[in-house]
Amino acid sequence: MSWKTEKLYLTNIKGVKAAAVSCGLKEDNKLDLALIVLDKPAKATAMFTRNTVKAAPVIVSKKHLEKYGLVQAIIINSGQANACTGGRGIKDAEFMAEEVAKRVGIEKELVFVASTGKIGAYLEKEKIAYGIELAYKNLSENSGESIAEAIMTTDTFPKISGAKRGDAVISGVAKGAGMIHPNMATMLAFIGTNVKLGSEELKRVLKKSVDKSFHQISVDGCSSTNDTVLLFSTGEVLDKTFQKGLDMVAQDLAKMIARDGEGAKKLIEVIVEKARSLKEAKVIARSVVVSNLVKAAIAGGDDNWGRVLASIGQTEYSFDLNKIELYIGDHLVFAKNEPLGYNSQEVKNYLKGNEVRIRIILNEGRYSAISWGCDLTEEYVKINAYYRT
């Protein structure tokens, strides 16, 4: 029996309840606060941004996890990132944890805090406190979809994924559309499972999964201050193939984020094959999805494959152009250090689709990697020119 992906909610895990509410952090009464509560503490691990500018909830949640390595409640607000807010920001993040802990009846270190939204604005504590009270009163096993909606900022759709194998369940939600260039991960993601995992095993499987999913996406080359990926395990079911299921869920969520890049119309998938090392394959793949010139060409439907070669040529790795084969979709456009006489119009027609695949075969070794990104449109500039106004 193999893992099968399907739309599963965190509340599909036994003992998990959740609620999403509007507490006034966003306009138009949009959902802006999510609370997830477990019946008992679960083993947990997380990876956070490596950006030197870290938001208060990142600092607080990291400290909380370091005490017990357990989580029993997760509180997330959108609309205000609580980043670059100094000592007050730390106190406000702790306040969120304390408000949840008081209602659930647990230690505050068992509460994981996350925030997303505009940088440099203090949290509106009265609204947050109201939202936590309201969410606690509305906890249920039927709030999976609304949790994903409540953590959205410029996202255009909720990001939910899951996988099952027998009684084993993995489910996750994520948000992210802008400031996507993971150096850990540029977004928020919360993944839960009922599979039994030890503390060190949790850390190991999460790192392996993030390295081939969230670390391999980019929208705009900008790493966030609030990056967080949390993985928790309620430990009820044994499954020796958990890594495969986790990889499927993480990659599914990562592709949703790349597809939903601010203003984007097209998902870009870059596959690098036959590299000398896994690191080389990953770096080269990411260099293409990061290139603004490549992204703009794809937005315009321009089969400018030279930009792809130029982007991989500025990495730290050398390669032999005489060995490289470059495909756009199924069309071989460059090989043996020469342009090929392909049908340009057919390639341009292919580029009109909402998914574009680029294959780069280096013919230097045996390693492969995939990276995901999106096209660069005028809408991206509009969204970010007026984000705070």
Side-chain angles (χ1 to χ4, degrees), residues 168-228:
V169 175
I170 306 170
S171 58
V173 296
K175 65 80 53 182
M179 291 187 81
I180 303 294
H181 185 67
N183 189 11
M184 192 317 287
T186 307
M187 73 294 128
L188 301 181
F190 306 93
I191 302 172
T193 183
N194 63 354
V195 174
K196 187 175 183 179
L197 299 160
S199 298
E200 291 305 312
E201 189 178 7
L202 267 177
K203 294 177 184 177
R204 184 174 69 253
V205 295
L206 181 61
K207 185 180 185 305
K208 285 183 69 174
S209 201
V210 166
D211 280 347
K212 63 180 75 170
S213 58
F214 300 118
H215 269 169
Q216 287 302 107
I217 58 175
S218 183
V219 168
D220 46 25
C222 297
S223 292
S224 172
T225 55
N226 294 57
D227 301 352
T228 302

Side-chain angles (χ1 to χ4, degrees), residues 7 14 19 24 55 103-104 130 138 187 197 208 210 219-220 258 274 308 314 332 352 385 387:
K7 191 175 183 179
K14 184 180 177 181
R103 287 163 178 80
V104 180
Y130 165 75
N138 286 278
M187 73 294 128
L197 299 160
K208 285 183 69 174
V210 166
V219 168
D220 46 25
K274 298 184 179 180
V308 176
Q314 62 188 15
L332 181 63
K352 292 177 181 179
Y387 182 64

Side-chain angles (χ1 to χ4, degrees), residues 69-371:
L70 300 170
V71 66
Q72 193 171 348
I74 304 164
I75 180 68
I76 315 150
N77 76 276
S78 58
Q80 298 168 353
N82 195 12
C84 302
T85 46
R88 175 175 163 181
I90 299 294
K91 291 179 181 178
D92 288 348
E94 290 283 12
F95 168 80
M96 290 177 67
E98 290 163 1
E99 287 291 297
V100 172
K102 181 171 61 178
R103 287 163 178 80
V104 180
I106 58 177
E107 294 182 59
K108 70 175 184 179
E109 286 83 5
L110 293 176
V111 180
F112 192 93
V113 182
S115 300
T116 182
K118 296 176 182 177
I119 294 173
Y122 292 116
L123 285 182
E124 297 176 83
K125 290 173 60 176
E126 295 79 8
K127 293 180 178 180
I128 293 283
Y130 165 75
I132 290 172
E133 176 69 23
L134 184 61
Y136 181 71
K137 290 179 179 178
N138 286 278
L139 287 171
S140 77
E141 297 174 353
N142 303 306
S143 301
E145 184 95 29
S146 59
I147 292 301
E149 293 176 11
I151 65 176
M152 292 166 53
T153 50
T154 56
D155 306 60
T156 63
F157 64 87
K159 298 167 179 65
I160 303 166
S161 184
K164 286 189 73 174
R165 182 177 182 269
D167 294 329
V169 175
I170 306 170
S171 58
V173 296
K175 65 80 53 182
M179 291 187 81
I180 303 294
H181 185 67
N183 189 11
M184 192 317 287
T186 307
M187 73 294 128
L188 301 181
F190 306 93
I191 302 172
T193 183
N194 63 354
V195 174
K196 187 175 183 179
L197 299 160
S199 298
E200 291 305 312
E201 189 178 7
L202 267 177
K203 294 177 184 177
R204 184 174 69 253
V205 295
L206 181 61
K207 185 180 185 305
K208 285 183 69 174
S209 201
V210 166
D211 280 347
K212 63 180 75 170
S213 58
F214 300 118
H215 269 169
Q216 287 302 107
I217 58 175
S218 183
V219 168
D220 46 25
C222 297
S223 292
S224 172
T225 55
N226 294 57
D227 301 352
T228 302
V229 174
L230 173 72
L231 172 64
F232 68 83
S233 163
T234 60
E236 297 167 354
V237 177
L238 293 175
D239 192 294
K240 295 182 179 180
T241 65
F242 176 77
Q243 183 76 64
K244 185 174 182 179
L246 179 62
D247 291 348
M248 291 168 67
V249 172
Q251 287 190 354
D252 195 27
L253 291 170
K255 288 171 70 175
M256 290 182 200
I257 291 171
R259 183 187 299 277
D260 197 28
E262 289 173 339
K265 303 297 183 185
K266 303 172 186 178
L267 173 70
I268 304 171
E269 180 178 83
V270 177
I271 304 168
V272 172
E273 301 174 18
K274 298 184 179 180
R276 287 166 291 197
S277 70
L278 182 58
K279 182 181 178 182
E280 178 184 38
K282 287 181 175 180
V283 169
I284 289 177
R286 251 177 81 147
S287 73
V288 179
V289 298
V290 168
S291 168
N292 283 339
L293 289 176
V294 172
K295 291 155 65 72
I298 291 175
D302 181 8
D303 56 329
N304 194 339
W305 50 263
R307 292 181 175 181
V308 176
L309 293 177
S311 66
I312 69 175
Q314 62 188 15
T315 67
E316 61 193 275
Y317 297 100
S318 60
F319 48 81
D320 187 348
L321 277 174
N322 290 296
K323 296 180 179 180
I324 285 183
E325 299 168 58
L326 174 60
Y327 288 82
I328 298 177
D330 294 328
H331 304 275
L332 181 63
V333 297
F334 178 88
K336 298 180 179 179
N337 202 13
E338 291 182 355
L340 302 179
Y342 64 92
N343 188 316
S344 179
Q345 190 56 53
E346 286 185 1
V347 177
K348 287 175 179 171
N349 290 339
Y350 169 75
L351 291 173
K352 292 177 181 179
N354 56 17
E355 292 190 12
V356 172
R357 186 180 71 253
I358 295 172
R359 286 178 64 213
I360 303 162
I361 306 174
L362 298 175
N363 289 310
E364 298 276 6
R366 60 184 180 88
Y367 295 91
S368 300
I370 306 176
S371 190

Side-chain angles (χ1 to χ4, degrees), residues 49-64:
T49 182
R50 293 176 188 164
N51 195 317
T52 302
V53 182
K54 292 177 173 60
V58 167
I59 296 168
V60 169
S61 289
K62 187 173 186 292
K63 182 178 69 172
H64 285 190

